[in-house]
Amino acid sequence: MRNAQPLVDALRKPETVLSLDRRGWTELISIARAESLIGSLAHRLTNIEVPEQVKPVLKDAIQTTDLARLQALWEADSAQRALVPLNCKTVLMKGTAYVAADLDAGIGRSIGDLDIMVARDQLPAAEEALLDAGWEWVKPDAYDDQYYRDHMHELPPLIHRERDRMIDVHHTTLPLTAGPTPNAQAMLDASVRLDSGLYVMAPADMLLHSVAHLFADGDLAGGLRNLWDIDRLVRRFSESGEEFWAELGTRAKLHQLVPHLARALRLAVRLYGTPVYKYRAGQTKFTDYLYIRRLLARDGWGRETRKFTRQAFYIRSHWLRMPPLMLMQHLWTKWRKA
Amino acid sequence: MAGLHHLYLTVGPARFRVASTWRQPLDQLAALYKDYPASSDGYADFTVRLEPEKPWRRYIRPSVNISGDYWLPDAAPLPLSQSLLAAEMGMNLQMALGWRRHLLLHASSVEKDGKALLMTGLSGSGKSTLSAMLAEKGWRFMGDEFALLNPDTDMAHSFPRLISLKNEAIAAMQSIVSEGRFGPLMRGTPKGDIRHIVPPLEAVRKMADTAKPALLLFPRFGYDPALRDMGKSEIFVRLTQASTNYVALGESGFRALTKFVDTVPTKAMDYQSGEQAEELIDSLWSQLP
């Protein structure tokens, strides 16, 4: 297999796996592991009759993500306890938010770091509280540290010295140097309180953060998983119908993410058959084809393929994050230190 | 992109697909694993990939990068002359990071009368050499890298990969194992000189047979022969450190390990020669219930 299409097909229509031979199964599993979607796939296939040899692989994947879910919630709880004295909203983001809010996007999802957002003026206090509670700085490099503090949307990553788990403390959703400037205060204001006392973003904001995460914050590595999150979130939130789509339009404008949202919806329709409100998705563009090409760049051995496309997206990701002069300074500093 | 040669291997309960840019490691694997069950249906639990670190390193000072379904970001590449070792390390890595069906203990194991003797300890403790030696003296070899404990049945499963001999152990085994069962000598690897031997045919034929864990030893080479008792909490902690997936298994791993520690007699064993170790082991074995 030359691309990741079998994984996309299996997630979209689980019955497509019925036509796989043994070798096809092996390739599907390798691709799904490489894209961190093996847990999501395993859950999608629970009602499908799969070959005997495949059953334990899927069972392993489900157990692994069950544990990841438990650890993620525990980690969120630990952070919350550390931040209690601040008396501020702690908003969970990404995977931890999906499992804490019991959303489909959290089913079988792999979760690595804990991502949280607090108000920007609370950052120093939050950092101090986390350091007191056993987290430590990861980046020993002064340039990197200062770079994070001056230009990024989050504190330099912290890691817990006993549990060895990383926490990213955000104050907004995109680097300060990126083109769009999402309204972090509006996201905090609209966030929804869970029974645990932690917060998650309101539906439209949560989806838009996922969109920002997919496009503006990287080179589309892990893109198939991020797009799967988007598919799951759209399917759940759009149950409320027009209301959600109207709110999504308003919030996309507020966060300056209208074209990003449109592109994400078009790609989700194309790959996962996501039901979307056409007006939000806009017209198909030629460049959509390049995105699809990039997202599917993975062969049946689990290898990354399409080096040139990947490289182009990598350079583009830096271009999007920084103005040209700053990018040159940054790359120059990084190159000298390498 | 460059095509990959590949080979399917079945070892114990696990099936591997090993893919490589070069033919060499696959030819070596095929020769050494020739008596293992053929798995030609194209199914594998794990994929191991051996590829050049950079495209030109396929030809110029070839270096083998180990990756696959699971990989470590800081694993150093090996020269092509050590590609067999790279393949073996690649398979170990998949088990250590991806296998969830059993509790994996970094231990060697041998079986007699349906009962298993497990040996664990730091690198250099002699667990590989002892298992290889016992395998030539009436015990069934079950594995020298991982012992697989089934949390549902408490039974030990066999994972009889090639036996990896290091440094002085190579010469020691050459005196009791025929040359035909040896793989190529690899000098100057990250762990010194390494040479693999193929386990006895019986170990391969009976690799699906499980055994009840009956004795656990913590061997230590180079001290006056002695047997010592160990506290249960010490045994437990040392086994959590010897397990690659104890944390990943969560509650079932904890239950399997506590039960193991509660029921399996355990000793620390010091020894200075294979004969001494064999004597100590035989005496302990004969006292088992």
Side-chain angles (χ1 to χ4, degrees):
Chain A
M1 194 31 81
R2 312 249 329 258
N3 65 34
Q5 192 66 47
L7 172 62
V8 170
D9 292 343
L11 287 168
R12 179 179 180 166
K13 287 203 172 88
E15 59 276 14
T16 57
V17 301
L18 294 172
S19 64
L20 292 174
D21 59 11
R22 295 290 193 267
R23 196 191 158 122
W25 272 107
T26 305
E27 293 184 339
L28 173 63
I29 289 164
S30 274
I31 296 169
R33 282 183 176 143
E35 294 288 342
S36 298
L37 275 163
I38 186 77
S40 310
L41 176 68
H43 278 279
R44 287 290 283 167
L45 298 182
T46 41
N47 293 322
I48 301 279
E49 194 52 44
V50 305
E52 277 308 310
Q53 299 97 320
V54 176
K55 282 181 187 164
V57 170
L58 299 179
K59 196 174 151 209
D60 282 358
I62 286 176
Q63 283 177 352
T64 303
T65 49
D66 282 352
L67 189 71
R69 175 194 185 94
L70 205 63
Q71 283 179 320
L73 293 174
W74 170 259
E75 207 53 35
D77 190 55
S78 303
Q80 185 188 16
R81 272 181 281 129
L83 296 175
V84 160
L86 274 65
N87 209 12
C88 70
K89 280 185 179 177
T90 303
V91 181
L92 301 174
M93 302 165 94
K94 297 193 266 195
T96 312
Y98 307 152
V99 297
D102 218 6
L103 296 169
D104 293 349
I107 297 176
R109 196 182 190 278
S110 68
I111 304 170
D113 308 342
L114 170 63
D115 293 276
I116 59 168
M117 184 161 93
V118 298
R120 193 170 187 188
D121 58 9
Q122 295 278 4
L123 269 189
E127 185 174 14
E128 204 172 312
L130 291 170
L131 290 172
D132 277 349
W135 276 270
E136 295 172 337
W137 287 300
V138 184
K139 303 237 174 196
D141 185 287
Y143 172 80
D144 286 343
D145 189 77
Q146 202 54 45
Y147 181 82
Y148 263 93
R149 288 171 197 280
D150 291 348
H151 304 298
M152 291 298 280
H153 49 308
E154 59 197 2
L155 285 174
L158 295 160
I159 198 160
H160 196 275
R161 80 168 77 93
E162 278 147 30
R163 293 194 304 278
D164 203 28
R165 302 272 296 187
M166 193 113 77
I167 186 169
D168 284 328
V169 185
H170 301 245
H171 56 83
T172 181
T173 49
L174 282 175
L176 303 176
T177 48
T181 311
N183 188 328
Q185 194 54 51
M187 283 185 174
L188 282 172
D189 291 344
S191 61
V192 182
R193 190 176 188 276
L194 302 173
D195 291 342
S196 61
L198 286 158
Y199 287 77
V200 295
M201 286 180 199
D205 287 348
M206 190 188 279
L207 178 62
L208 285 162
H209 175 234
S210 191
V211 168
H213 185 54
L214 173 63
F215 291 132
D217 192 20
D219 60 353
L220 264 76
L224 279 184
R225 190 192 67 178
N226 292 329
L227 199 62
W228 180 247
D229 288 343
I230 289 169
D231 170 83
R232 297 289 101 178
L233 293 177
V234 168
R235 283 175 198 265
R236 169 66 77 95
F237 296 152
S238 62
E239 280 166 13
S240 65
E242 270 174 48
E243 225 173 278
F244 170 71
W245 291 109
E247 173 70 4
L248 187 59
T250 313
R251 298 302 273 192
K253 257 190 225 118
L254 175 70
H255 298 313
Q256 303 178 6
L257 290 168
V258 173
H260 307 80
L261 171 66
R263 168 104 64 193
L265 295 176
R266 291 199 300 274
L267 296 177
V269 172
R270 179 81 180 270
L271 289 178
Y272 296 128
T274 316
V276 306
Y277 175 43
K278 284 209 174 62
Y279 182 73
R280 288 279 161 269
Q283 294 287 319
T284 304
K285 289 190 177 158
F286 170 72
T287 44
D288 290 354
Y289 160 80
L290 295 175
Y291 280 84
I292 299 273
R293 203 179 140 71
R294 168 65 184 87
L295 288 169
L296 293 177
R298 178 82 61 185
D299 73 7
W301 298 100
R303 290 189 295 182
E304 297 181 338
T305 57
R306 298 173 181 162
K307 285 237 161 64
F308 180 77
T309 307
R310 279 176 187 276
Q311 194 64 23
F313 271 93
Y314 178 76
I315 292 167
R316 181 178 171 280
S317 78
H318 274 71
W319 187 256
L320 289 179
R321 288 157 82 109
M322 304 178 199
L325 184 64
M326 187 179 153
L327 177 60
M328 279 169 61
Q329 280 171 346
H330 176 71
L331 292 177
W332 171 245
T333 311
K334 285 301 227 184
W335 179 78
R336 272 191 324 175
K337 294 161 81 78
Chain B
M1 290 193 65
L4 291 173
H5 304 288
H6 66 276
L7 175 80
Y8 290 87
L9 285 177
T10 301
V11 186
R15 304 227 247 169
F16 299 93
R17 173 173 74 153
V18 185
S20 168
T21 308
W22 305 272
R23 277 231 62 94
Q24 177 184 320
L26 299 182
D27 288 344
Q28 289 174 336
L29 285 174
L32 294 165
Y33 281 95
K34 69 176 170 23
D35 294 320
Y36 285 65
S39 43
S40 50
D41 62 1
Y43 181 75
D45 294 290
F46 295 118
T47 298
V48 175
R49 295 197 312 262
L50 306 174
E51 295 177 288
E53 195 188 357
K54 295 270 187 278
W56 58 88
R57 292 301 285 271
R58 178 178 184 179
Y59 307 101
I60 304 165
R61 289 200 297 127
S63 80
V64 185
N65 205 41
I66 306 168
S67 62
D69 287 344
Y70 298 90
W71 45 275
L72 291 174
D74 51 357
L78 294 173
L80 186 58
S81 58
Q82 297 171 13
S83 57
L84 174 64
L85 176 63
E88 293 280 309
M89 284 169 70
M91 286 189 273
N92 281 344
L93 203 57
Q94 305 311 309
M95 289 301 280
L97 300 177
W99 194 259
R100 295 281 178 279
R101 287 163 238 176
H102 303 106
L103 179 69
L104 259 69
L105 293 178
H106 188 59
S108 69
S109 50
V110 290
E111 177 257 7
K112 202 189 255 183
D113 306 326
K115 293 183 289 186
L117 160 66
L118 279 71
M119 290 173 281
T120 184
L122 302 173
S123 185
S125 63
K127 58 186 185 304
S128 274
T129 319
L130 285 176
S131 65
M133 189 195 76
L134 293 171
E136 303 301 319
K137 305 196 173 182
W139 297 73
R140 171 170 69 104
F141 177 80
M142 295 183 72
D144 82 321
E145 183 76 32
F146 290 124
L148 277 48
L149 289 185
N150 186 329
D152 299 325
T153 62
D154 305 325
M155 297 295 272
H157 289 245
S158 179
F159 188 60
R161 294 255 314 287
L162 300 182
I163 303 166
S164 157
L165 297 174
K166 293 173 204 93
N167 305 316
E168 299 80 28
I170 299 172
M173 287 306 290
Q174 270 166 338
S175 60
I176 48 173
V177 171
S178 69
E179 181 61 24
R181 277 174 51 203
F182 278 87
L185 174 66
M186 291 174 281
R187 287 191 188 280
T189 78
K191 290 176 177 176
D193 295 350
I194 286 190
R195 207 169 172 196
H196 293 96
I197 52 175
V198 180
L201 198 54
E202 195 213 3
V204 178
R205 289 217 178 108
K206 292 190 174 169
M207 71 185 189
D209 294 2
T210 58
K212 191 159 185 52
L215 180 63
L216 171 68
L217 290 178
F218 285 87
R220 197 167 63 144
F221 177 73
Y223 295 83
D224 287 338
L227 291 170
R228 270 168 293 116
D229 288 324
M230 295 167 69
K232 282 192 176 170
S233 46
E234 187 192 354
I235 300 167
F236 182 83
V237 170
R238 286 181 69 171
L239 288 178
T240 60
Q241 289 163 350
S243 174
T244 58
N245 65 356
Y246 169 70
V247 173
L249 282 179
E251 199 185 332
S252 81
F254 174 77
R255 277 190 279 111
L257 201 58
T258 43
K259 191 160 180 201
F260 183 89
V261 172
D262 271 336
T263 54
V264 180
T266 301
K267 294 273 184 202
M269 177 181 81
D270 292 351
Y271 68 105
Q272 282 167 320
S273 72
E275 291 76 46
Q276 282 174 3
E278 213 185 330
E279 236 168 76
L280 293 169
I281 289 169
D282 283 343
S283 71
L284 285 171
W285 199 256
S286 63
Q287 290 164 34
L288 288 179

